[in-house]
Amino acid sequence: MLKKAEGLIRKKKDIKAYYYLLTSYAAMGKKDEVFAVWERLKKSGKKVLNKGYRDMISSLAKLGDFEAAEKILDKWESRKSPGYDVRIPHVLVSAYMKVGRLEEVGAVVERTRSKGV
Protein backbone atom coordinates (compact mmCIF):
# COMPACT_ATOMS: atom_id res chain seq x y z
CA MET A 1 0.00 0.00 0.00
CA LEU A 2 2.87 2.38 0.73
CA LYS A 3 4.31 1.79 -2.74
CA LYS A 4 0.91 2.53 -4.22
CA ALA A 5 0.69 5.72 -2.13
CA GLU A 6 4.12 6.78 -3.38
CA GLY A 7 2.86 6.53 -6.94
CA LEU A 8 0.03 8.93 -6.17
CA ILE A 9 2.23 11.74 -4.82
CA ARG A 10 2.14 14.90 -6.88
CA LYS A 11 5.67 16.16 -6.31
CA LYS A 12 5.06 19.81 -5.58
CA LYS A 13 1.67 19.57 -3.91
CA ASP A 14 1.93 16.56 -1.62
CA ILE A 15 5.21 17.17 0.20
CA LYS A 16 3.69 16.12 3.54
CA ALA A 17 3.05 12.68 2.10
CA TYR A 18 6.80 12.14 1.92
CA TYR A 19 7.06 12.78 5.68
CA TYR A 20 4.40 10.17 6.33
CA LEU A 21 6.22 7.68 4.13
CA LEU A 22 9.54 8.27 5.93
CA THR A 23 8.10 7.42 9.32
CA SER A 24 5.98 4.56 8.01
CA TYR A 25 8.90 2.82 6.31
CA ALA A 26 11.02 3.33 9.44
CA ALA A 27 8.32 1.73 11.58
CA MET A 28 8.47 -1.26 9.24
CA GLY A 29 12.28 -1.42 9.48
CA LYS A 30 12.81 -0.61 5.80
CA LYS A 31 15.92 1.58 5.81
CA ASP A 32 16.48 1.40 2.04
CA GLU A 33 12.96 2.69 1.47
CA VAL A 34 13.49 5.50 4.00
CA PHE A 35 16.54 6.67 2.05
CA ALA A 36 14.72 6.30 -1.28
CA VAL A 37 11.83 8.46 -0.08
CA TRP A 38 14.30 11.02 1.33
CA GLU A 39 16.00 11.30 -2.06
CA ARG A 40 12.66 11.71 -3.84
CA LEU A 41 11.66 14.36 -1.31
CA LYS A 42 14.85 16.34 -1.93
CA LYS A 43 14.29 16.11 -5.70
CA SER A 44 10.61 17.08 -5.45
CA GLY A 45 11.29 20.72 -6.21
CA LYS A 46 9.97 21.86 -2.83
CA LYS A 47 12.05 23.04 0.09
CA VAL A 48 12.45 20.34 2.72
CA LEU A 49 10.88 21.76 5.85
CA ASN A 50 12.25 21.38 9.36
CA LYS A 51 9.59 18.70 9.91
CA GLY A 52 11.15 16.67 7.13
CA TYR A 53 14.56 16.82 8.81
CA ARG A 54 13.02 15.89 12.17
CA ASP A 55 11.17 12.96 10.64
CA MET A 56 14.25 11.74 8.77
CA ILE A 57 16.49 11.94 11.85
CA SER A 58 13.83 10.22 13.93
CA SER A 59 13.39 7.50 11.31
CA LEU A 60 17.11 6.80 11.11
CA ALA A 61 17.41 6.73 14.90
CA LYS A 62 14.57 4.19 15.08
CA LEU A 63 16.51 2.09 12.61
CA GLY A 64 19.69 2.43 14.69
CA ASP A 65 21.59 4.34 12.00
CA PHE A 66 22.92 7.14 14.18
CA GLU A 67 25.78 7.92 11.81
CA ALA A 68 23.34 8.73 9.01
CA ALA A 69 21.15 10.69 11.44
CA GLU A 70 24.19 12.83 12.38
CA LYS A 71 24.84 13.47 8.67
CA ILE A 72 21.24 14.65 8.20
CA LEU A 73 21.69 16.98 11.18
CA ASP A 74 24.91 18.28 9.57
CA LYS A 75 23.04 18.89 6.32
CA TRP A 76 20.25 20.74 8.12
CA GLU A 77 22.71 22.95 9.99
CA SER A 78 24.58 23.75 6.78
CA ARG A 79 21.43 25.28 5.27
CA LYS A 80 21.93 28.39 7.41
CA SER A 81 18.21 28.93 7.83
CA PRO A 82 17.10 31.94 9.86
CA GLY A 83 16.61 30.88 13.46
CA TYR A 84 17.65 27.58 14.93
CA ASP A 85 14.96 24.98 15.51
CA VAL A 86 16.22 23.23 18.63
CA ARG A 87 13.66 20.45 18.09
CA ILE A 88 15.79 18.99 15.32
CA PRO A 89 18.92 18.22 17.39
CA HIS A 90 16.60 17.31 20.28
CA VAL A 91 15.31 14.35 18.26
CA LEU A 92 18.84 12.99 18.09
CA VAL A 93 19.52 13.75 21.77
CA SER A 94 16.38 11.83 22.76
CA ALA A 95 17.32 8.89 20.56
CA TYR A 96 20.82 8.73 22.01
CA MET A 97 19.42 8.89 25.53
CA LYS A 98 17.08 5.97 24.87
CA VAL A 99 20.04 3.74 24.01
CA GLY A 100 22.34 5.09 26.71
CA ARG A 101 24.85 6.81 24.43
CA LEU A 102 25.58 9.64 26.84
CA GLU A 103 28.81 10.80 25.19
CA GLU A 104 26.91 11.45 22.00
CA VAL A 105 24.17 13.24 23.96
CA GLY A 106 26.81 15.58 25.36
CA ALA A 107 28.33 16.14 21.93
CA VAL A 108 25.00 17.09 20.34
CA VAL A 109 24.09 19.34 23.28
CA GLU A 110 27.48 21.07 23.08
CA ARG A 111 27.11 21.41 19.32
CA THR A 112 23.73 23.06 19.85
CA ARG A 113 25.11 25.38 22.51
CA SER A 114 27.91 26.42 20.17
CA LYS A 115 25.21 27.75 17.83
CA GLY A 116 24.10 30.10 20.61
CA VAL A 117 21.02 28.08 21.51
Side-chain angles (χ1 to χ4, degrees):
M1 287 307 291
L2 290 177
K3 284 289 182 195
K4 186 174 182 177
E6 281 183 64
L8 298 174
I9 295 174
R10 294 169 294 173
K11 290 186 182 199
K12 292 194 177 189
K13 287 197 160 223
D14 299 329
I15 194 162
K16 290 180 183 177
Y18 289 109
Y19 304 153
Y20 173 78
L21 289 169
L22 286 173
T23 58
S24 295
Y25 279 127
M28 295 171 59
K30 304 220 177 240
K31 185 164 54 169
D32 290 342
E33 295 301 327
V34 169
F35 280 112
V37 169
W38 180 248
E39 289 305 315
R40 283 192 292 281
L41 170 60
K42 292 189 311 184
K43 293 176 182 174
S44 70
K46 293 283 273 185
K47 178 182 172 189
V48 179
L49 304 174
N50 286 349
K51 179 173 177 23
Y53 284 94
R54 283 194 321 265
D55 287 350
M56 184 59 174
I57 291 169
S58 175
S59 295
L60 292 170
K62 283 178 188 167
L63 295 166
D65 193 342
F66 292 100
E67 185 178 320
E70 288 265 1
K71 288 179 182 177
I72 299 297
L73 180 59
D74 290 341
K75 182 69 175 166
W76 173 76
E77 286 180 337
S78 72
R79 294 180 347 158
K80 306 278 189 222
S81 296
Y84 190 91
D85 187 348
V86 74
R87 296 173 298 174
I88 295 172
H90 183 265
V91 171
L92 194 52
V93 166
S94 295
Y96 278 141
M97 288 179 73
K98 285 180 185 174
V99 295
R101 294 177 65 171
L102 300 181
E103 278 188 39
E104 288 88 344
V105 168
V108 175
V109 168
E110 188 53 41
R111 173 183 184 160
T112 303
R113 281 187 183 156
S114 74
K115 306 287 184 201
V117 179

